Amino acid sequence: MPFHFPVRLGLAALLSGATALPLHATQAEMPQPVAAIAQALSLNDVTWRSSPGGPTLIGRLPGGEVLEFELEGEDTPRLEEIEATTRDGAPLSGVAALLPAAILQHGLIDDDTMFHEIEFDDGKIEIDGVSGDGRRFEAEFATDGRLLEIEFN
């Protein structure tokens, strides 16, 4: 079962006020959940494509990092995965608007924490990244931000 927090709750508030986006998407109008993600993160160079499983959004964070967002479902897409497209990853703070505050306030997370992939699955949030002190980690959080498991590589 996909994780519903970012799209259903976090983005619902954004959708209520989102009418026009300052984006450079050249394709037809994006589905609202896709547009809301782009707006919430101030993405630039935004492109999206529709597919049978759900839309995919690609955009550049204000710091220059390119991210790919996979959503699941055609009628009401839900955020399923965020992936950084570079070897160095992207700052976790760049996607803070899509994560529960408790995750960002966890002792593991600081301004230098980078991520490679974030998965929203089975009521959990899994983050594969690099801590500020340079250690690779895989962490699993509950949707309320509680740390369930962490492994350093």
Side-chain angles (χ1 to χ4, degrees), residues 31 33 38 48 95 122 124:
W48 73 280
V95 295
D122 296 327
K124 298 176 187 164

Side-chain angles (χ1 to χ4, degrees), residues 7-26:
V7 173
R8 300 249 175 168
L9 297 178
L11 296 179
L14 292 170
L15 292 175
S16 64
T19 53
L21 295 171
L23 302 175
H24 301 294
T26 57

Side-chain angles (χ1 to χ4, degrees), residues 60-66 86:
R60 186 178 306 278
L61 289 171
E65 302 85 3
V66 176
T86 64

Side-chain angles (χ1 to χ4, degrees), residues 19-62:
T19 53
L21 295 171
L23 302 175
H24 301 294
T26 57
Q27 298 183 18
E29 186 177 330
M30 290 183 243
Q32 283 294 351
V34 175
I37 290 170
Q39 184 175 22
L41 303 181
S42 300
L43 297 178
N44 298 303
D45 303 326
V46 175
T47 60
W48 73 280
R49 65 181 176 272
S50 183
S51 66
T56 297
L57 169 70
I58 299 171
R60 186 178 306 278
L61 289 171

Side-chain angles (χ1 to χ4, degrees), residues 48-95:
W48 73 280
R49 65 181 176 272
S50 183
S51 66
T56 297
L57 169 70
I58 299 171
R60 186 178 306 278
L61 289 171
E65 302 85 3
V66 176
L67 302 179
E68 183 173 320
F69 302 82
E70 291 183 17
L71 290 90
E72 182 180 278
E74 293 181 46
D75 297 331
T76 54
R78 295 171 306 281
L79 184 59
E80 183 176 64
E81 182 178 302
I82 306 170
E83 186 174 346
T85 62
T86 64
R87 180 182 174 141
D88 294 334
L92 196 58
S93 60
V95 295

